[in-house]
Amino acid sequence: MGGLVRLVRSLDLAEELAQDALVTALAEWPRSGVPDRPGAWLMAAAKRRAIDRLRRQRMLVRKHAEIARDIEQERDTTTEAMEAALDDDYGDELLALVFTACHPLLAAEARAALTLRLVGGLTTAEIARAFLSNEATIAQRIVRAKRTLADAGLRYAVPRGQERHGRLASVLEVLYLIFNEGYAATAGDDLIRPALCAEAARLGRILAGLMPEEPEVFGLLALMELQASRLPARTAADGALVPLPAQNRTRWDRPLISHGLAALDRAEALGGGEGPYALQAALAACHARAASAEATDWSRIAGLYDRLAVAMPSPVVDLNRAIAHSMAFGPPAGLALLAAIEAEGSLRDYAPLPAAKGDFLFRAGRFAEARASFSRAAGLTRNARERAYLEQRAAACCG
């Protein structure tokens, strides 16, 4: 997508060409085998489709003629040639596409939704869940965003200087949401999507190299590294969910933890310790530093969530704060905070809320109520592994 947008200067056309190339690969690779350079093969296939399309249209529009000449000049599809063709200092066309889609012409939520669709490959349903919205609203938002960029006649250029800094918050939000979808998949049979986590973290490392004085860049990088360190222990051999207290901490990735803690130190040294990503990284660091679940400093975690609720107010942060308070100060404390969230209503159909309530009630010995909450949570989630886990929790409420 990044390379095609740079060539054809149209989000819709680039998306269509990318899909056509993937369909061609699905038809040919089972017979011919996966090529040595799959990315170069896909780019070449997409370029040929673009040239064919433009030739069929007989080059009626001058811009299309110019694009076709650009593409013809870049027929060499070796990896080295494509890398040499990059004309910006990002070193990665995908990150350039993120910055381009996060254009100030678009509202913040439209930027994030469009980029998640194009770069993260998330479905409309997955993006809707990330924004606690509905699919129709998100679909309209993406269509309008594409139309706005097209109507403005923008050249898909890489921002520089202050313009780059002006888009940073949106770019960080997009990387954060892509990572979250990988860490806890919205729907499907798999609990996690490690490739999404890896891509978000990779882009975060590139961004940290480009903007070494931005504390929130390092805060987000620290958060992603620390959270990703737990991925090997989040699922059992059969793919079932393993909750944090039951995880085998010897399976946590220690090099990733070291990288994450170093990035957190950098964020704090730059004066960004109270930033929303740095605070979340500090929360993840509490778990990473605990030798066992029993050794977790829940009082510190509760205090960090109190600060995060100020830095990044949201119903989801409030829910996680309630969980932390329940662990630090007992189930009644958590239930009291949950009551306020339930009254507010924005998380009414959000599965983690009744799941958390079920856990609080179970630990308080209120088993019948806990069973009802777990069952409601299981009915709300669209992830098969998560649903199975919640159904098991409900079945265990036999008191």
Side-chain angles (χ1 to χ4, degrees):
M1 279 296 300
L4 289 171
V5 167
R6 181 170 60 84
L7 291 173
V8 303
R9 301 172 178 86
S10 164
L11 292 173
D12 283 325
L13 180 55
E15 197 168 20
E16 187 174 336
L17 292 170
Q19 291 169 354
D20 286 346
L22 289 167
V23 169
T24 302
L26 286 170
E28 294 191 14
W29 290 1
R31 297 194 304 268
S32 61
V34 178
D36 292 337
R37 297 188 178 93
W41 191 102
L42 289 168
M43 181 62 83
K47 287 180 180 179
R48 285 193 294 270
R49 296 284 294 186
I51 292 169
D52 291 344
R53 175 187 291 268
L54 297 178
R55 283 175 176 163
R56 283 197 303 270
Q57 294 174 350
R58 304 186 182 206
M59 307 299 184
L60 293 177
V61 180
R62 179 179 299 176
K63 184 174 78 170
H64 284 184
E66 294 172 354
I67 293 169
R69 285 197 296 273
D70 289 345
I71 295 174
E72 292 281 14
Q73 291 169 4
E74 298 187 27
R75 294 296 293 271
D76 184 351
T77 60
T78 66
T79 301
E80 294 79 10
M82 284 192 290
E83 290 176 350
L86 292 174
D87 57 0
D88 57 64
D89 64 356
Y90 283 80
D92 192 282
E93 287 182 321
L94 186 57
L95 189 61
L97 178 58
V98 175
F99 269 97
T100 301
C102 289
H103 197 282
L105 273 174
L106 306 175
E109 288 189 343
R111 297 176 210 165
L114 176 63
T115 315
L116 287 169
R117 181 73 187 89
L118 295 176
V119 180
L122 273 63
T123 66
T124 305
E126 291 167 345
I127 299 169
R129 179 182 182 273
F131 285 104
L132 303 178
S133 184
N134 60 69
E135 292 185 40
T137 298
I138 294 299
Q140 292 172 1
R141 191 177 295 167
I142 292 171
V143 169
R144 285 197 298 267
K146 288 181 178 179
R147 186 181 301 126
T148 298
L149 293 180
D151 291 347
L154 296 174
R155 185 172 70 88
Y156 288 89
V158 175
R160 295 287 190 269
Q162 287 302 115
E163 187 180 2
R164 179 188 297 173
H165 282 268
R167 301 188 197 183
L168 180 60
S170 289
V171 170
L172 293 177
E173 180 186 18
V174 165
L175 297 187
Y176 176 70
L177 291 173
I178 292 174
F179 182 89
N180 282 348
E181 178 59 30
Y183 189 77
T186 304
D189 295 329
D190 297 322
L191 179 71
I192 59 176
R193 298 167 67 179
L196 282 181
C197 292
E199 189 60 22
R202 185 181 72 84
L203 293 175
R205 293 184 200 108
I206 295 173
L207 194 57
L210 288 171
M211 310 180 82
E213 302 303 319
E214 287 291 337
E216 275 295 80
V217 171
F218 285 93
L220 177 58
L221 179 58
L223 173 61
M224 292 190 294
E225 302 274 33
L226 290 168
Q227 294 287 77
S229 72
R230 301 204 296 261
L231 286 175
R234 288 202 75 222
T235 55
D238 63 355
L241 183 153
V242 180
L244 180 60
Q247 288 176 16
N248 180 355
R249 299 190 178 213
T250 63
R251 297 188 63 203
W252 289 4
D253 189 319
R254 292 297 157 183
L256 273 183
I257 290 175
S258 296
H259 294 323
L261 293 176
L264 178 58
D265 287 343
R266 175 66 176 164
E268 292 173 344
L270 290 170
E274 293 301 309
Y277 298 118
L279 284 171
Q280 290 177 81
L283 286 161
C286 289
H287 295 293
R289 291 181 172 124
S292 65
E294 294 73 23
T296 304
D297 188 349
W298 282 107
S299 293
R300 173 168 168 74
I301 290 174
L304 285 168
Y305 267 116
D306 291 343
R307 290 153 62 186
L308 182 61
V310 174
M312 191 176 77
S314 84
V316 174
V317 170
D318 290 339
L319 173 58
N320 288 325
R321 176 172 174 259
I323 294 170
H325 277 253
S326 82
M327 297 299 294
F329 311 116
L335 288 168
L337 292 173
L338 274 191
I341 299 170
E342 289 177 314
E344 192 270 332
S346 62
L347 299 184
R348 184 177 297 106
D349 298 321
Y350 187 59
L353 190 150
K357 185 173 184 178
D359 184 68
F360 300 173
L361 292 167
F362 183 86
R363 289 190 288 117
R366 295 160 61 178
F367 300 117
E369 295 169 89
R371 183 186 302 114
S373 288
F374 284 131
S375 296
R376 171 164 168 71
L380 288 173
T381 184
R382 286 176 294 164
N383 184 280
R385 300 293 184 181
E386 193 173 64
R387 184 182 306 110
Y389 171 75
L390 291 166
E391 288 171 347
Q392 289 174 0
R393 290 295 310 267
C397 298
C398 55

